[in-house]
Amino acid sequence: MPAKFKLSYFDIRGRAELPRLVFAAAGKEFEDERLSGDKWTAFKPKTPYGQMPVLTVDDKTMINQTGAIVRYLAREFGLYGSNNMENTKCDIIIETVVDVFTAIIKVHYEKDEAKKEELGKKLSTEVLPQFFTYLCKLLKENGGKCLVGSKLTVADMAAFDMLDKLKSNPQMGEGVYKDFAEVKTFYESVKTNANVQKYLEKRPAADM
């Protein structure tokens, strides 16, 4: 009997969007539980570490930490690499995306306006160009379609999730990677994957 999955998070994309996209890419059903207010307050003591996202498997086993969740799902659904080296390359890309996301979060939550401007400038002139250049290098080395191996993997979904977040940001938009043609082609390729496209068309409107 197939496992039953429930993913619990806030009603935003945030750290749960990658697990949602992995479910989508695999064409697997899951309960997308979005909590806020009293419901989150009541659920928090039940979580393994007082935070979300949390993946509940078969109504009993809770998995916390986004990286652990996406790796579990990738192994479960065949979206990791085909060998240990490819798995490791997937891990490297996942961790690189985490670094970029951390830089974005720092800008978002910085209260000092001068520091915020400084962090924002570093993000746009250093962090993001480095990330896009890195993706272009990986794509060129791997034939242009996928970041790792010859099929869609969790690495592609991690990179796509970050690009999608950037593109959805009103302060950035699609122009954020206009100088990186390979990145744009990659983004559109993943976006038009049948399973991913189906999810995106029905995805609830929510903040990044």
Side-chain angles (χ1 to χ4, degrees), residues 25-74:
K28 301 296 183 180
E29 296 292 328
F30 72 104
E31 181 183 347
D32 187 8
E33 182 180 50
R34 299 179 181 233
L35 302 173
S36 61
D38 292 344
K39 289 184 178 180
W40 162 231
T41 302
F43 181 61
K44 186 174 181 179
K46 301 174 185 177
T47 66
Y49 206 66
Q51 62 187 24
M52 297 191 290
V54 170
L55 178 68
T56 305
V57 183
D58 290 332
D59 294 322
K60 55 183 179 181
T61 304
M62 284 187 169
I63 303 171
N64 61 310
Q65 298 294 351
T66 306
I69 292 170
V70 297
R71 287 171 173 86
Y72 166 78
L73 294 175

Tab-separated table of all heavy atoms in Angstrom, residues 25-74:
chain	number	residue	atom	x	y	z
A	25	ALA	N	6.834	16.923	-9.120
A	25	ALA	CA	7.672	16.329	-10.171
A	25	ALA	C	7.495	14.815	-10.234
A	25	ALA	O	7.521	14.218	-11.316
A	25	ALA	CB	9.138	16.681	-9.936
A	26	ALA	N	7.298	14.220	-9.061
A	26	ALA	CA	7.130	12.763	-8.998
A	26	ALA	C	5.704	12.331	-9.320
A	26	ALA	O	5.443	11.133	-9.489
A	26	ALA	CB	7.517	12.255	-7.606
A	27	GLY	N	4.788	13.294	-9.397
A	27	GLY	CA	3.393	12.965	-9.667
A	27	GLY	C	2.731	12.249	-8.502
A	27	GLY	O	1.842	11.417	-8.700
A	28	LYS	N	3.152	12.583	-7.281
A	28	LYS	CA	2.637	11.914	-6.094
A	28	LYS	C	1.675	12.822	-5.314
A	28	LYS	O	1.887	14.027	-5.211
A	28	LYS	CB	3.787	11.499	-5.170
A	28	LYS	CG	4.785	10.556	-5.817
A	28	LYS	CD	4.151	9.222	-6.182
A	28	LYS	CE	5.178	8.260	-6.762
A	28	LYS	NZ	4.599	6.948	-7.121
A	29	GLU	N	0.654	12.214	-4.750
A	29	GLU	CA	-0.328	12.948	-3.961
A	29	GLU	C	0.196	13.167	-2.541
A	29	GLU	O	0.920	12.327	-1.993
A	29	GLU	CB	-1.643	12.164	-3.884
A	29	GLU	CG	-2.344	11.985	-5.234
A	29	GLU	CD	-2.869	13.294	-5.804
A	29	GLU	OE1	-3.256	14.176	-4.989
A	29	GLU	OE2	-2.867	13.444	-7.033
A	30	PHE	N	-0.183	14.295	-1.942
A	30	PHE	CA	0.147	14.555	-0.546
A	30	PHE	C	-0.838	15.584	0.006
A	30	PHE	O	-1.453	16.336	-0.751
A	30	PHE	CB	1.581	15.081	-0.412
A	30	PHE	CG	1.782	16.502	-0.902
A	30	PHE	CD1	1.899	17.551	-0.007
A	30	PHE	CD2	1.857	16.785	-2.257
A	30	PHE	CE1	2.093	18.856	-0.446
A	30	PHE	CE2	2.043	18.084	-2.714
A	30	PHE	CZ	2.158	19.124	-1.799
A	31	GLU	N	-0.991	15.607	1.309
A	31	GLU	CA	-1.838	16.612	1.951
A	31	GLU	C	-0.987	17.842	2.222
A	31	GLU	O	0.010	17.775	2.933
A	31	GLU	CB	-2.416	16.079	3.257
A	31	GLU	CG	-3.327	17.089	3.961
A	31	GLU	CD	-3.860	16.593	5.297
A	31	GLU	OE1	-3.732	15.375	5.571
A	31	GLU	OE2	-4.392	17.422	6.070
A	32	ASP	N	-1.381	18.952	1.651
A	32	ASP	CA	-0.642	20.206	1.780
A	32	ASP	C	-1.274	21.025	2.911
A	32	ASP	O	-2.136	21.876	2.679
A	32	ASP	CB	-0.695	20.961	0.446
A	32	ASP	CG	0.189	22.196	0.434
A	32	ASP	OD1	0.965	22.396	1.390
A	32	ASP	OD2	0.088	22.973	-0.544
A	33	GLU	N	-0.844	20.751	4.145
A	33	GLU	CA	-1.427	21.409	5.308
A	33	GLU	C	-0.742	22.756	5.544
A	33	GLU	O	0.471	22.817	5.735
A	33	GLU	CB	-1.281	20.527	6.551
A	33	GLU	CG	-1.911	21.135	7.799
A	33	GLU	CD	-1.772	20.252	9.017
A	33	GLU	OE1	-0.642	19.793	9.295
A	33	GLU	OE2	-2.791	20.006	9.685
A	34	ARG	N	-1.555	23.825	5.564
A	34	ARG	CA	-1.015	25.176	5.742
A	34	ARG	C	-1.582	25.746	7.033
A	34	ARG	O	-2.794	25.946	7.155
A	34	ARG	CB	-1.355	26.046	4.531
A	34	ARG	CG	-0.732	25.480	3.247
A	34	ARG	CD	-1.053	26.297	2.021
A	34	ARG	NE	-0.454	25.693	0.834
A	34	ARG	CZ	0.329	26.350	-0.030
A	34	ARG	NH1	0.620	27.623	0.172
A	34	ARG	NH2	0.834	25.723	-1.082
A	35	LEU	N	-0.689	26.013	7.984
A	35	LEU	CA	-1.103	26.394	9.329
A	35	LEU	C	-0.758	27.845	9.652
A	35	LEU	O	0.219	28.388	9.149
A	35	LEU	CB	-0.421	25.489	10.361
A	35	LEU	CG	-0.668	23.983	10.229
A	35	LEU	CD1	0.208	23.229	11.208
A	35	LEU	CD2	-2.133	23.655	10.451
A	36	SER	N	-1.555	28.443	10.507
A	36	SER	CA	-1.286	29.782	11.005
A	36	SER	C	-2.002	29.968	12.336
A	36	SER	O	-2.870	29.168	12.708
A	36	SER	CB	-1.759	30.849	9.995
A	36	SER	OG	-3.158	30.749	9.797
A	37	GLY	N	-1.644	31.022	13.047
A	37	GLY	CA	-2.351	31.367	14.275
A	37	GLY	C	-2.448	30.244	15.289
A	37	GLY	O	-1.461	29.576	15.606
A	38	ASP	N	-3.658	30.026	15.788
A	38	ASP	CA	-3.896	29.030	16.837
A	38	ASP	C	-3.560	27.617	16.390
A	38	ASP	O	-3.117	26.793	17.201
A	38	ASP	CB	-5.365	29.091	17.299
A	38	ASP	CG	-5.690	30.380	18.039
A	38	ASP	OD1	-4.738	31.064	18.459
A	38	ASP	OD2	-6.883	30.698	18.177
A	39	LYS	N	-3.769	27.334	15.109
A	39	LYS	CA	-3.485	25.979	14.618
A	39	LYS	C	-1.987	25.680	14.679
A	39	LYS	O	-1.582	24.574	15.039
A	39	LYS	CB	-4.019	25.812	13.194
A	39	LYS	CG	-5.544	25.761	13.121
A	39	LYS	CD	-6.019	25.497	11.712
A	39	LYS	CE	-7.543	25.401	11.656
A	39	LYS	NZ	-8.038	25.133	10.285
A	40	TRP	N	-1.175	26.673	14.338
A	40	TRP	CA	0.269	26.483	14.438
A	40	TRP	C	0.693	26.398	15.910
A	40	TRP	O	1.514	25.551	16.286
A	40	TRP	CB	1.012	27.596	13.733
A	40	TRP	CG	2.460	27.749	14.113
A	40	TRP	CD1	3.086	28.892	14.490
A	40	TRP	CD2	3.478	26.737	14.143
A	40	TRP	NE1	4.416	28.667	14.766
A	40	TRP	CE2	4.677	27.334	14.564
A	40	TRP	CE3	3.485	25.360	13.874
A	40	TRP	CZ2	5.869	26.636	14.716
A	40	TRP	CZ3	4.678	24.645	14.031
A	40	TRP	CH2	5.840	25.280	14.442
A	41	THR	N	0.114	27.232	16.748
A	41	THR	CA	0.432	27.203	18.176
A	41	THR	C	0.133	25.834	18.777
A	41	THR	O	0.912	25.310	19.590
A	41	THR	CB	-0.370	28.278	18.927
A	41	THR	OG1	-0.075	29.566	18.371
A	41	THR	CG2	-0.031	28.295	20.405
A	42	ALA	N	-0.977	25.241	18.367
A	42	ALA	CA	-1.361	23.921	18.877
A	42	ALA	C	-0.477	22.813	18.316
A	42	ALA	O	-0.187	21.824	19.004
A	42	ALA	CB	-2.825	23.648	18.552
A	43	PHE	N	-0.036	22.981	17.086
A	43	PHE	CA	0.760	21.939	16.424
A	43	PHE	C	2.224	21.981	16.849
A	43	PHE	O	2.890	20.934	16.919
A	43	PHE	CB	0.651	22.107	14.908
A	43	PHE	CG	1.400	21.085	14.100
A	43	PHE	CD1	1.093	19.741	14.183
A	43	PHE	CD2	2.426	21.472	13.244
A	43	PHE	CE1	1.774	18.790	13.435
A	43	PHE	CE2	3.121	20.535	12.491
A	43	PHE	CZ	2.794	19.188	12.591
A	44	LYS	N	2.730	23.162	17.177
A	44	LYS	CA	4.157	23.354	17.456
A	44	LYS	C	4.718	22.385	18.496
A	44	LYS	O	5.782	21.780	18.253
A	44	LYS	CB	4.411	24.800	17.885
A	44	LYS	CG	5.887	25.141	18.056
A	44	LYS	CD	6.079	26.619	18.339
A	44	LYS	CE	7.557	26.960	18.472
A	44	LYS	NZ	7.766	28.405	18.717
A	45	PRO	N	4.063	22.177	19.648
A	45	PRO	CA	4.631	21.250	20.640
A	45	PRO	C	4.685	19.800	20.164
A	45	PRO	O	5.421	18.994	20.737
A	45	PRO	CB	3.663	21.382	21.837
A	45	PRO	CG	2.913	22.647	21.608
A	45	PRO	CD	2.823	22.808	20.137
A	46	LYS	N	3.932	19.477	19.129
A	46	LYS	CA	3.898	18.109	18.617
A	46	LYS	C	5.028	17.842	17.616
A	46	LYS	O	5.274	16.686	17.259
A	46	LYS	CB	2.552	17.830	17.948
A	46	LYS	CG	1.352	18.014	18.873
A	46	LYS	CD	0.051	17.853	18.112
A	46	LYS	CE	-1.165	18.147	18.985
A	46	LYS	NZ	-2.435	18.065	18.228
A	47	THR	N	5.670	18.904	17.138
A	47	THR	CA	6.719	18.748	16.130
A	47	THR	C	8.017	18.279	16.777
A	47	THR	O	8.250	18.485	17.974
A	47	THR	CB	6.978	20.073	15.387
A	47	THR	OG1	7.533	21.028	16.311
A	47	THR	CG2	5.694	20.630	14.796
A	48	PRO	N	8.909	17.657	16.020
A	48	PRO	CA	10.163	17.147	16.587
A	48	PRO	C	11.073	18.235	17.154
A	48	PRO	O	11.813	17.995	18.103
A	48	PRO	CB	10.826	16.446	15.399
A	48	PRO	CG	9.709	16.092	14.486
A	48	PRO	CD	8.721	17.210	14.624
A	49	TYR	N	11.018	19.454	16.552
A	49	TYR	CA	11.977	20.482	16.953
A	49	TYR	C	11.341	21.873	17.047
A	49	TYR	O	12.025	22.880	16.985
A	49	TYR	CB	13.154	20.493	15.965
A	49	TYR	CG	14.445	21.021	16.542
A	49	TYR	CD1	15.106	20.339	17.564
A	49	TYR	CD2	15.007	22.200	16.058
A	49	TYR	CE1	16.304	20.830	18.090
A	49	TYR	CE2	16.198	22.696	16.577
A	49	TYR	CZ	16.837	22.008	17.601
A	49	TYR	OH	18.018	22.495	18.125
A	50	GLY	N	10.027	21.915	17.152
A	50	GLY	CA	9.338	23.192	17.310
A	50	GLY	C	9.363	24.083	16.100
A	50	GLY	O	9.285	25.308	16.210
A	51	GLN	N	9.463	23.488	14.923
A	51	GLN	CA	9.509	24.277	13.697
A	51	GLN	C	8.929	23.494	12.529
A	51	GLN	O	8.718	22.285	12.626
A	51	GLN	CB	10.948	24.694	13.387
A	51	GLN	CG	11.878	23.494	13.150
A	51	GLN	CD	13.341	23.882	13.006
A	51	GLN	OE1	13.764	24.923	13.483
A	51	GLN	NE2	14.125	23.032	12.354
A	52	MET	N	8.652	24.213	11.455
A	52	MET	CA	8.176	23.593	10.219
A	52	MET	C	9.104	24.004	9.085
A	52	MET	O	9.819	24.986	9.214
A	52	MET	CB	6.736	24.041	9.917
A	52	MET	CG	5.718	23.617	10.956
A	52	MET	SD	3.982	23.883	10.425
A	52	MET	CE	3.849	25.679	10.433
A	53	PRO	N	9.094	23.238	7.966
A	53	PRO	CA	8.130	22.198	7.603
A	53	PRO	C	8.347	20.886	8.337
A	53	PRO	O	9.454	20.585	8.792
A	53	PRO	CB	8.365	22.018	6.102
A	53	PRO	CG	9.797	22.395	5.905
A	53	PRO	CD	10.056	23.518	6.866
A	54	VAL	N	7.269	20.118	8.402
A	54	VAL	CA	7.287	18.778	8.944
A	54	VAL	C	6.551	17.867	7.961
A	54	VAL	O	5.442	18.190	7.529
A	54	VAL	CB	6.615	18.701	10.327
A	54	VAL	CG1	6.420	17.246	10.753
A	54	VAL	CG2	7.441	19.441	11.365
A	55	LEU	N	7.171	16.756	7.619
A	55	LEU	CA	6.532	15.750	6.781
A	55	LEU	C	6.099	14.595	7.675
A	55	LEU	O	6.926	13.998	8.371
A	55	LEU	CB	7.499	15.234	5.712
A	55	LEU	CG	6.951	14.133	4.796
A	55	LEU	CD1	5.859	14.671	3.886
A	55	LEU	CD2	8.076	13.507	3.970
A	56	THR	N	4.798	14.296	7.666
A	56	THR	CA	4.278	13.173	8.433
A	56	THR	C	3.987	12.020	7.477
A	56	THR	O	3.261	12.193	6.494
A	56	THR	CB	2.996	13.558	9.194
A	56	THR	OG1	3.256	14.708	10.009
A	56	THR	CG2	2.528	12.410	10.081
A	57	VAL	N	4.582	10.870	7.759
A	57	VAL	CA	4.448	9.702	6.895
A	57	VAL	C	3.558	8.670	7.580
A	57	VAL	O	3.811	8.271	8.719
A	57	VAL	CB	5.825	9.073	6.584
A	57	VAL	CG1	5.671	7.899	5.627
A	57	VAL	CG2	6.774	10.126	6.007
A	58	ASP	N	2.499	8.291	6.879
A	58	ASP	CA	1.559	7.271	7.385
A	58	ASP	C	0.994	7.607	8.762
A	58	ASP	O	0.796	6.723	9.611
A	58	ASP	CB	2.235	5.893	7.417
A	58	ASP	CG	2.485	5.349	6.017
A	58	ASP	OD1	1.723	5.704	5.104
A	58	ASP	OD2	3.445	4.580	5.838
A	59	ASP	N	0.752	8.902	8.991
A	59	ASP	CA	0.115	9.383	10.229
A	59	ASP	C	0.911	9.096	11.498
A	59	ASP	O	0.369	9.179	12.607
A	59	ASP	CB	-1.291	8.777	10.380
A	59	ASP	CG	-2.246	9.253	9.294
A	59	ASP	OD1	-2.165	10.435	8.923
A	59	ASP	OD2	-3.056	8.430	8.827
A	60	LYS	N	2.209	8.773	11.363
A	60	LYS	CA	2.956	8.446	12.587
A	60	LYS	C	4.373	9.011	12.612
A	60	LYS	O	4.772	9.626	13.602
A	60	LYS	CB	2.974	6.932	12.810
A	60	LYS	CG	3.508	6.109	11.657
A	60	LYS	CD	3.419	4.608	11.951
A	60	LYS	CE	3.943	3.792	10.783
A	60	LYS	NZ	3.851	2.334	11.048
A	61	THR	N	5.137	8.814	11.566
A	61	THR	CA	6.536	9.243	11.582
A	61	THR	C	6.669	10.671	11.077
A	61	THR	O	6.253	10.984	9.963
A	61	THR	CB	7.407	8.327	10.712
A	61	THR	OG1	7.259	6.976	11.158
A	61	THR	CG2	8.871	8.736	10.802
A	62	MET	N	7.247	11.551	11.914
A	62	MET	CA	7.457	12.943	11.531
A	62	MET	C	8.905	13.168	11.128
A	62	MET	O	9.831	12.766	11.843
A	62	MET	CB	7.108	13.881	12.693
A	62	MET	CG	5.626	14.083	12.925
A	62	MET	SD	5.366	15.356	14.193
A	62	MET	CE	3.583	15.615	14.006
A	63	ILE	N	9.094	13.812	9.983
A	63	ILE	CA	10.433	14.171	9.517
A	63	ILE	C	10.509	15.687	9.474
A	63	ILE	O	9.685	16.338	8.812
A	63	ILE	CB	10.716	13.595	8.121
A	63	ILE	CG1	10.560	12.067	8.118
A	63	ILE	CG2	12.122	13.985	7.651
A	63	ILE	CD1	10.616	11.454	6.736
A	64	ASN	N	11.464	16.259	10.187
A	64	ASN	CA	11.663	17.708	10.134
A	64	ASN	C	12.953	18.018	9.383
A	64	ASN	O	13.664	17.101	8.967
A	64	ASN	CB	11.677	18.314	11.541
A	64	ASN	CG	12.804	17.759	12.392
A	64	ASN	OD1	12.988	16.550	12.480
A	64	ASN	ND2	13.562	18.644	13.033
A	65	GLN	N	13.224	19.289	9.204
A	65	GLN	CA	14.354	19.811	8.434
A	65	GLN	C	14.130	19.625	6.929
A	65	GLN	O	14.021	18.506	6.422
A	65	GLN	CB	15.683	19.167	8.845
A	65	GLN	CG	16.078	19.428	10.293
A	65	GLN	CD	16.385	20.884	10.598
A	65	GLN	OE1	16.469	21.719	9.699
A	65	GLN	NE2	16.532	21.207	11.871
A	66	THR	N	14.081	20.751	6.232
A	66	THR	CA	13.773	20.734	4.800
A	66	THR	C	14.708	19.824	4.013
A	66	THR	O	14.272	19.049	3.157
A	66	THR	CB	13.848	22.158	4.222
A	66	THR	OG1	13.008	23.019	4.977
A	66	THR	CG2	13.404	22.170	2.767
A	67	GLY	N	16.012	19.913	4.299
A	67	GLY	CA	16.973	19.088	3.560
A	67	GLY	C	16.715	17.608	3.733
A	67	GLY	O	16.809	16.832	2.778
A	68	ALA	N	16.397	17.214	4.959
A	68	ALA	CA	16.108	15.797	5.217
A	68	ALA	C	14.832	15.367	4.503
A	68	ALA	O	14.753	14.261	3.951
A	68	ALA	CB	15.973	15.554	6.718
A	69	ILE	N	13.840	16.247	4.498
A	69	ILE	CA	12.562	15.942	3.842
A	69	ILE	C	12.754	15.735	2.347
A	69	ILE	O	12.302	14.743	1.778
A	69	ILE	CB	11.528	17.054	4.108
A	69	ILE	CG1	11.126	17.081	5.589
A	69	ILE	CG2	10.290	16.866	3.225
A	69	ILE	CD1	10.291	18.289	5.981
A	70	VAL	N	13.440	16.669	1.688
A	70	VAL	CA	13.569	16.571	0.227
A	70	VAL	C	14.443	15.386	-0.172
A	70	VAL	O	14.200	14.737	-1.189
A	70	VAL	CB	14.087	17.881	-0.406
A	70	VAL	CG1	13.105	19.013	-0.174
A	70	VAL	CG2	15.466	18.262	0.091
A	71	ARG	N	15.451	15.074	0.637
A	71	ARG	CA	16.292	13.931	0.317
A	71	ARG	C	15.525	12.621	0.505
A	71	ARG	O	15.651	11.692	-0.296
A	71	ARG	CB	17.552	13.946	1.182
A	71	ARG	CG	18.556	15.023	0.764
A	71	ARG	CD	19.689	15.138	1.783
A	71	ARG	NE	20.737	16.037	1.341
A	71	ARG	CZ	20.728	17.356	1.519
A	71	ARG	NH1	19.700	17.945	2.127
A	71	ARG	NH2	21.732	18.107	1.096
A	72	TYR	N	14.724	12.562	1.544
A	72	TYR	CA	13.884	11.372	1.759
A	72	TYR	C	12.932	11.181	0.579
A	72	TYR	O	12.803	10.068	0.040
A	72	TYR	CB	13.085	11.524	3.051
A	72	TYR	CG	11.953	10.532	3.195
A	72	TYR	CD1	12.202	9.215	3.582
A	72	TYR	CD2	10.637	10.894	2.916
A	72	TYR	CE1	11.165	8.289	3.686
A	72	TYR	CE2	9.599	9.992	3.016
A	72	TYR	CZ	9.868	8.684	3.412
A	72	TYR	OH	8.841	7.779	3.510
A	73	LEU	N	12.279	12.267	0.175
A	73	LEU	CA	11.328	12.176	-0.940
A	73	LEU	C	12.033	11.817	-2.238
A	73	LEU	O	11.519	11.036	-3.048
A	73	LEU	CB	10.567	13.492	-1.090
A	73	LEU	CG	9.624	13.869	0.057
A	73	LEU	CD1	9.035	15.259	-0.181
A	73	LEU	CD2	8.517	12.837	0.224
A	74	ALA	N	13.216	12.399	-2.449
A	74	ALA	CA	13.968	12.096	-3.679
A	74	ALA	C	14.332	10.622	-3.747
A	74	ALA	O	14.221	9.992	-4.806
A	74	ALA	CB	15.224	12.969	-3.743
